[in-house]
Amino acid sequence: MARDTYEKQTWENLPSETTPVNAERLTHIEDGIKTAMDNRALKEIYDDYSISVGRKAGTAIRSYSSAVGIDVAATGDASHAEGYATIASNHYAHAEGKETVASGICSHAEGEKTKASLKSHAEGVETEADNYSHAEGRKTTANNYSHAEGYQTTATGYYSHAEGSGTKASGASSHVHGKFNIEDTSSKYAEIVGGGYSDTSRMNIYTLDWQGNAKYAGDVENGNGVSINNLKSEVDNLKDIAKGGVAAKTFDTKNALETWLAVEGNPETLSVGQNIYIRETDTPDYWWDGTELQILETEKVSLEGYVTETQLDTKLSEYAKNTDVPSLTNNLLATVPGQSALDAVQGKVLSDQINQLNSDLLKMPQNIIRKVNAREFTFEMDAGNYLVVVLSNASGRIGFTAYICGSQYESDIASTYSGIVKIFDNSITESNVSATKDGNAITIINEAKNGSFITVTKL
């Protein structure tokens, strides 16, 4: 700050009249003394761009700071402390109220006995905020970009929020409200409502996890008065009814049923909807409604004329004893039909003979007609020893591969039965193979093999 200067004056004794003593000169001297004293006081207050009024003894004030109140200290650059025994100990910090401490850079503590650390804000009574957090209320604590409010709440999970009384938000990004919840140390829940009674008696009355699953300690009711617990009760009743149809009870007579019901404790074993059957055909069946019997509105099935399992076994046993079983003889030697059963040995002989007959047929000479049935077509071969492989597809096209006396050719014939035979054997040329169409059949003739042919007929 620029200071006004004073030019010293040299006094001379009489008879010199250069420095006369008069009222004007004495007033000028008084004004100079006052100005000097005022400047000294202002220097103590402003002290290099700072303000200090009531600063705590033994503390220094930093540049561009202000300490105003009783026993206050502003020891950080550009800091501010006001009130009673407040401390702003870091750069750009602000402490106000009573016994508050703003110790973090850019922090703000206000109220009574609050503490604000790194770029945080604490307000209220005995609150603490650190690491970009905000604590308000009474005895609340906030850390890691979190917010705590209310009474004795704690928000320590990153980006969490605790409110209410005695709540703890430890899970990242979680929201906890209510009172005295069970602490979530594994970050399982997105939201918790506490319903405990003290720090040693904690409970949750509602939780919502990060998969969207909600859990309530009590009931949930919609606007129409329908609750989950009531729905569960109805479902349980339906289960009881279903179980009753399966685990029905049976009595010989109505009197037997009434005698059983008269025994203490027996009615309690019945389920709502449970069926009770009476064997007497002239007595109705019943079902249990929870308090008394109700007639089962079904027609009783008469079992008259039916036999029991035991009776059936007896009849079958008697039939087996009285029925003649034919002896096992060689069927090739039997002369009377229906008198001999086929034994395993004779069955094997017949099977071998059939296999041998098939083998002999394959070795027979030419001019044998062979018919092959497929799903969509019938193929006939004549005048040659042929092996034909036939293919078809969904578009209606057919094709085949034929082996004619050792020669091979393929055909791809459209559903209109027009096409040309492709020859793969040089001994068979297109000139001696032709195709004709008659109705739904197409015939391919091999002139080189004495007019042998293949006929393809559409079914």
Side-chain angles (χ1 to χ4, degrees):
M1 164 182 294
R3 303 280 195 247
D4 294 334
T5 59
Y6 177 76
E7 186 177 347
K8 183 179 178 181
Q9 181 174 300
T10 302
W11 289 86
E12 296 180 1
N13 294 325
L14 291 174
S16 173
E17 297 181 357
T18 303
T19 56
V21 177
N22 51 38
E24 181 182 356
R25 298 294 296 174
L26 292 176
T27 299
H28 176 72
I29 292 173
E30 288 293 330
D31 289 341
I33 294 172
K34 182 178 185 307
T35 300
M37 295 301 294
D38 288 346
N39 286 341
R40 180 178 179 181
L42 290 174
K43 185 178 185 305
E44 291 179 356
I45 294 174
Y46 290 103
D47 194 17
D48 295 330
Y49 307 103
S50 297
I51 300 174
S52 177
V53 179
R55 188 173 76 233
K56 184 177 181 179
T59 62
I61 190 167
R62 299 296 294 265
S63 299
Y64 306 100
S65 298
S66 61
V68 180
I70 301 174
D71 288 335
V72 295
T75 57
D77 289 341
S79 61
H80 174 66
E82 61 177 304
Y84 174 74
T86 60
I87 300 174
S89 60
N90 214 323
H91 305 316
Y92 324 115
H94 179 190
E96 58 181 309
K98 180 182 179 182
E99 298 178 357
T100 61
V101 178
S103 60
I105 187 171
C106 300
S107 61
H108 181 196
E110 57 181 312
E112 181 179 0
K113 295 183 179 179
T114 60
K115 297 179 180 180
S117 299
L118 177 62
K119 297 182 179 180
S120 297
H121 180 197
E123 57 181 312
V125 180
E126 298 182 69
T127 61
E128 295 186 17
D130 188 16
N131 196 19
Y132 303 87
S133 299
H134 180 200
E136 57 182 313
R138 181 180 179 86
K139 294 186 178 181
T140 61
T141 302
N143 198 356
N144 300 323
Y145 308 88
S146 63
H147 180 201
E149 57 182 312
Y151 177 66
Q152 288 186 331
T153 61
T154 303
T156 56
Y158 278 89
Y159 324 111
S160 61
H161 181 197
E163 58 181 313
S165 175
T167 58
K168 294 183 179 182
S170 302
S173 304
S174 63
H175 177 206
V176 181
H177 47 119
K179 59 179 183 176
F180 297 105
N181 65 292
I182 298 174
E183 185 177 5
D184 176 22
T185 58
S186 59
S187 295
K188 179 179 179 180
Y189 299 110
E191 184 176 14
I192 300 174
V193 177
Y197 302 97
S198 66
D199 188 50
T200 57
S201 180
R202 294 181 170 272
M203 66 175 291
N204 295 334
I205 60 177
Y206 164 76
T207 57
L208 175 66
D209 65 22
W210 289 107
Q211 285 70 47
N213 301 307
K215 184 176 181 181
Y216 295 85
D219 199 0
V220 177
E221 184 176 302
N222 66 7
N224 297 322
V226 179
S227 71
I228 290 180
N229 285 349
N230 287 340
L231 289 176
K232 182 179 184 301
S233 177
E234 293 297 330
V235 171
D236 290 341
N237 287 337
L238 291 175
K239 287 182 178 179
D240 289 339
I241 292 173
K243 290 180 180 177
V246 176
K249 285 189 173 294
T250 304
F251 296 88
D252 290 330
T253 64
K254 175 68 179 305
N255 290 336
L257 169 59
E258 292 175 345
T259 300
W260 183 84
L261 288 173
V263 177
E264 184 178 359
N266 281 352
E268 286 74 16
T269 64
L270 295 175
S271 300
V272 175
Q274 186 170 2
N275 291 342
I276 302 173
Y277 298 115
I278 306 299
R279 291 189 177 91
E280 289 179 334
T281 57
D282 58 346
T283 303
D285 295 322
Y286 299 91
W287 63 277
W288 183 251
D289 68 357
T291 57
E292 59 183 355
L293 296 173
Q294 299 292 335
I295 294 178
L296 187 62
E297 300 295 336
T298 57
E299 183 178 354
K300 185 179 291 294
V301 179
S302 175
L303 299 180
E304 185 177 355
Y306 290 86
V307 297
T308 65
E309 184 179 358
T310 302
Q311 292 172 333
L312 180 61
D313 290 341
T314 302
K315 291 289 185 181
L316 291 175
S317 178
E318 293 175 355
Y319 177 80
K321 292 178 181 179
N322 299 326
T323 302
D324 294 331
V325 178
S327 59
L328 296 178
T329 61
N330 191 326
N331 285 57
L332 298 180
L333 302 178
T335 58
V336 179
Q339 295 296 318
S340 301
L342 178 65
D343 65 348
V345 175
Q346 188 58 44
K348 178 65 169 58
V349 172
L350 292 175
S351 177
D352 292 343
Q353 291 177 350
I354 292 171
N355 292 337
Q356 183 61 46
L357 180 60
N358 289 335
S359 177
D360 293 340
L361 288 174
L362 293 175
K363 298 176 181 179
M364 295 181 68
Q366 300 179 359
N367 300 322
I368 298 298
I369 298 177
R370 180 182 180 193
K371 180 178 291 187
V372 181
N373 292 320
R375 185 178 61 180
E376 296 184 3
F377 301 96
T378 297
F379 309 97
E380 297 181 353
M381 294 174 291
D382 193 10
N385 189 12
Y386 300 94
L387 172 63
V388 180
V389 180
V390 182
L391 305 174
S392 66
N393 57 33
S395 64
R397 298 180 65 83
I398 61 173
F400 60 86
T401 300
Y403 295 85
I404 304 176
C405 296
S407 299
Q408 175 185 344
Y409 64 93
E410 290 186 347
S411 173
D412 183 8
I413 305 174
S415 59
T416 58
Y417 299 101
S418 62
I420 186 65
V421 177
K422 182 177 180 181
I423 305 301
F424 285 84
D425 192 318
N426 293 331
S427 65
I428 301 177
T429 65
E430 295 185 11
S431 62
N432 55 35
V433 177
S434 62
T436 62
K437 176 177 175 294
D438 182 16
N440 289 333
I442 181 171
T443 302
I444 300 173
I445 303 173
N446 186 356
E447 301 292 350
K449 299 297 181 180
N450 300 321
S452 58
F453 65 91
I454 297 176
T455 299
V456 179
T457 304
K458 187 173 184 181
L459 295 180

